């Protein structure tokens, strides 16, 4: 029963006593209802976190449940519900202003990008389908073309806030489909809101004559245009002045903060003086407001925080209260027809549009379907529209509840769609670990041997010689020329048919390639038992060369890419400054290659002459400290040890724990993962020792060291003892042996040990091969966050 607020003919003391009595007598239901809305919404959100559901799904369920509990409903009298309506409307004004503030309307006037085309295609197909079906299902109590168009436009939109949150929570925001989905969702949301703003001008229902309706529309349109132009022209000047007066790092002046907020309120509300809807007016103000600057970012952050912590529980309780599930017409076939028709329109319409658009843009059709399903998601404004339609008696409460259920269903499936995208991306990612450590002894070793030019020939053939292993199963070598694509070379390209799309006719390039081909082929003809030689070409700009080599290595199932160091040795034995372009390519390949990568620092390795196959004449060492890269270096050394002309020595660096030296301040105790990594190191080295060292084929040295200073001194002591030293780039668990060495590095891409051995003050006769095993882990369990799947 509603409380009695009639306090007439009472003294002030009696009025006060009666007001307090009524409030306490009937206020418990309000307090319990709103407190439960806050508590249960947060609790449900935490429970649904393992399945990555966005907060709106739990909020809808809690709101529908609490808003339809009879004791709580009875506690809210008409006056309180009217107050709740005002609170919700004010919060939605803030929501729409911030939504518009985060959008850029000027993209509409630019040539359409891929995300805009996807958004337009999904919206158009959904709009056509909605206009074809909704008029026959009587969604509104009174038929009106404006209501049909508004419903069709709403069904065509997307909840960009919800979609962005789902994509970023799954960490695919940097992928091509993640970027495309978020951008298309924002574009679709913006266009939908703009169309609703325009439609309200022409199709608002005021009950007046046609003439008065036209006059009212002209007033609204004029006010909206004036508001938009004023905001777009004046607000940047005003906000720039505010931002300049309040630079980053200093406290915001109180007067400027008040002026800024007052200005925002003014531009949001001026169109309402002429009867335009305040919520749509706030969106138009936000979209024309400058989004850059300290004040705008402060507003977005503060408003979003208040919405998520204070407003949303009240909003969804309000939604549940007006849903009136106790009057839901479940026995009416029309109810289910309307529900399923809305689901079909939103899902089939979006998917059909994105699939057709994807076919034109060259997308894979499963990803186009997934993108369409993501774009079906709707947000808070659509729930507000559905609930307001029932309050204004435009639709029945059953139809309004049906719309809310459909909005819930368009959101609840999005995390599962994203997980499906990730699974498909994993399947298309390289599942075979292309590294020497996992190479089957019965399989051929496949090496991509890269050259900058003829000056790399002798060192490359010697690397090829010691890597060849046994004649059975043999080795496949793809000798690849790395040539920068300049304007001069591009002018000589001739288009062909078939697999080789172009032929280089530049005389210098042709002569260089012919010289390399003749030299390598001559070596294979004389000494090439078990060697399969193939020639390749990486012709690209330096910015794209690493990607070309990565694609080449993946297609050819390469286990090891060997690259020349970007610096060359001078006649006096020192290294020159190097080529920055080739250094850039090397560093990119180390990060992105799907197989192991080796960088050869040539210090006369090609000048040692022909390597004998009858007696050990070449001293080679491999340094093993521990970690993934060192295990890969050891695996390559296993291949080298099979050469009869190589005398291989394995040098293992171990932590000397007997002296208990003072550890550096930057050293951290071993974690569980590091201990597991060290266990793998021991198992790997024990297997190598048993197979190669114990039989006397490989020499073994053990160095017990206490810190990185002793590591440095030991490395320096190896000067001139070996023609080639093989090391891993890094990723070591025993970081105490190399900690701090990074501070001295001249070439970080070589790792701390490789950088010391290749330094300008090291031996002029010892070449170094630095090996890095490819990264087989990431934020998506083997899938990089910036993966490409479209």
């Amino acid at each position: 029963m509603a409380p009695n607020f009639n306090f007439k003919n009472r003294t002030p003391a009696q009025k006060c006593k009666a007001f307090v009595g009524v409030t306490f007598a009937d206020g418990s239901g309000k307090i319990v209802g709103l407190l439960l809305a806050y508590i249960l919404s947060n609790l449900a959100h935490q429970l649904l976190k393992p399945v990555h559901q966005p907060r709106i799904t739990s909020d809808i369920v809690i709101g529908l449940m609490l808003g339809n509990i009879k004791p709580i409903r009875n506690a809210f009298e008409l006056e309180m519900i009217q107050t709740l309506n005002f609170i919700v409307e004010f919060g939605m004004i803030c929501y729409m202003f911030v939504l518009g503030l985060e959008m850029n309307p000027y993209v509409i006037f630019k040539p359409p990008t891929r995300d805009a085309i996807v958004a337009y295609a999904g919206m158009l197909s959904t709009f056509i389908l909605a206009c074809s079906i909704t008029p026959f299902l009587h969604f509104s109590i009174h038929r009106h073309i404006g209501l049909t168009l508004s419903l069709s436009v709403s069904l065509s939109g997307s909840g960009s806030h919800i979609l962005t949150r789902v994509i970023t929570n799954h960490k695919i925001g940097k992928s091509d489909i993640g970027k495309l989905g978020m951008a298309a969702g924002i574009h679709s949301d913006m266009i939908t809101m703009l169309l609703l703003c325009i439609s309200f001008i022409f199709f608002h229902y005021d009950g007046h004559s046609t003439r008065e309706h036209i006059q009212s529309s002209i007033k609204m349109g004029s006010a909206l245009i004036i508001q938009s132009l004023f905001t777009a022209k004046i607000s940047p000047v005003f906000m720039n002045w505010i931002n300049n007066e309040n630079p980053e790092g200093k406290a915001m002046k109180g007067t400027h903060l008040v002026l800024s907020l007052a200005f925002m309120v003014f531009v949001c509300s001026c169109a309402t003086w002429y009867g335009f809807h305040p919520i749509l007016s706030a969106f138009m103000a936000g979209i024309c407001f400058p989004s850059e600057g300290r004040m705008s970012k402060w507003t977005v952050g503060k408003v979003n925080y208040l919405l998520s912590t204070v407003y949303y529980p009240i909003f969804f309780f309000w939604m549940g209260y007006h849903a009136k599930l106790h009057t839901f017409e479940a026995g009416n076939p029309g109810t289910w027809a309307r529900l399923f028709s809305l689901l079909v329109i939103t899902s089939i319409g979006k998917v059909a549009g994105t699939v057709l658009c994807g076919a034109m843009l060259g997308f894979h059709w499963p990803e186009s379907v997934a993108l369409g399903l993501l774009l079906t998601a709707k947000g808070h404004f659509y729930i507000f529209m559905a609930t307001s339609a029932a309050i204004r008696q435009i639709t029945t409460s059953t139809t309004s509840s049906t719309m809310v259920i459909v909005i819930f269903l368009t959101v609840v499936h999005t995390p599962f769609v994203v997980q499906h995208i990730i699974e498909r991306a994993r399947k298309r990612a390289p599942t075979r670990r292309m590294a020497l450590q996992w190479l089957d002894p019965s399989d051929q070793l496949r090496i991509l041997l890269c050259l900058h030019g003829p000056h790399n020939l002798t060192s490359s053939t010697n690397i090829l010689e010691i890597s060849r292993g046994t004649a059975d199963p043999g080795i496949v070598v793809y000798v690849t020329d790395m040539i920068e694509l300049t304007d001069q070379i591009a002018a000589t390209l001739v288009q062909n048919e078939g697999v080789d799309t172009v032929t280089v006719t530049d005389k210098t390039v042709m002569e260089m390639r012919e010289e390399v081909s003749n030299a390598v082929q001559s070596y294979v003809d004389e000494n090439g038992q078990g060697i399969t030689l193939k020639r390749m070409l990486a012709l690209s700009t330096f910015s794209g060369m690493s990607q070309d080599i990565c694609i080449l290595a993946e297609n050819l199932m390469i286990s090891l890419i060997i690259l020349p160091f970007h610096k060359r040795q001078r006649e006096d034995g020192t290294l020159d400054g190097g080529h920055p372009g080739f250094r850039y390519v090397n560093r990119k390949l180390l990060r992105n290659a799907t197989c192991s990568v080796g960088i050869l620092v040539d210090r006369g390795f090609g000048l040692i002459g022909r390597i004998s196959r009858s007696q050990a004449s070449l001293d080679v060492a491999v340094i093993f400290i521990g970690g993934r890269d060192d295990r890969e270096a050891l695996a390559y050394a296993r291949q080298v040890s099979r050469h009869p002309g190589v005398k291989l020595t394995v040098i293992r660096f171990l932590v000397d724990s007997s002296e208990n030296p003072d550890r550096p301040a930057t050293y951290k105790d071993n974690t569980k993962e590091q201990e597991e990594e060290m266990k793998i190191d021991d198992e790997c080295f024990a297997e190598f020792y048993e197979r190669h060292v114990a039989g006397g084929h490989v020499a073994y040295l053990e160095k017990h060291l206490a810190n990185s200073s002793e590591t440095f001194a030991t490395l320096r002591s190896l000067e001139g003892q070996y023609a080639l030293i093989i090391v891993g780039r890094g990723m070591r668990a025993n970081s105490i042996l190399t900690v701090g060495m990074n501070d001295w590095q001249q070439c970080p891409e070589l790792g701390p040990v490789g950088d010391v051995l290749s330094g300008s003050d090291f031996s002029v006769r010892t070449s170094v091969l630095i090996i890095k095993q490819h990264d087989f882990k990431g934020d998506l369990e083997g899938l990089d966050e910036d993966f490409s799947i479209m």
Side-chain angles (χ1 to χ4, degrees), residues 78 113 360 370 378 431 547 647 690 719 760 764 775:
L78 183 62
T113 55
M360 292 186 293
K378 303 292 187 289
T431 55
Q547 183 178 3
K647 182 182 178 181
E690 183 179 349
E719 184 175 355
S760 57
V764 298
D775 296 323

Side-chain angles (χ1 to χ4, degrees), residues 627-643:
R628 206 168 59 226
D629 296 345
D630 280 20
R631 294 196 296 269
E632 188 69 1
L634 196 66
Y636 178 74
R638 179 183 59 201
Q639 182 81 6
V640 172
S641 68
R642 297 171 183 169
H643 195 287

Side-chain angles (χ1 to χ4, degrees), residues 126 129 340 342-352 372-373 376 410:
T126 307
L129 193 61
F340 287 113
L342 290 177
L343 279 177
V344 168
I345 291 169
T346 53
S347 58
I348 301 299
K350 286 287 186 182
V351 170
L373 291 174
T376 62
T410 63

Side-chain angles (χ1 to χ4, degrees), residues 92 150-151 153-154 192-193 196 280 315 318 379-392 394-395 400 403 407:
M92 191 52 59
S150 297
L151 178 60
V153 170
S154 300
T192 300
M193 296 302 171
L196 288 174
L280 298 178
F315 171 78
W318 169 82
H380 300 81
F381 178 70
Y382 300 92
I383 295 177
F384 175 81
M385 288 182 64
T387 307
S388 296
I391 295 174
R392 297 172 183 270
I394 297 173
T395 63
S400 173
M403 293 178 178
I407 292 171

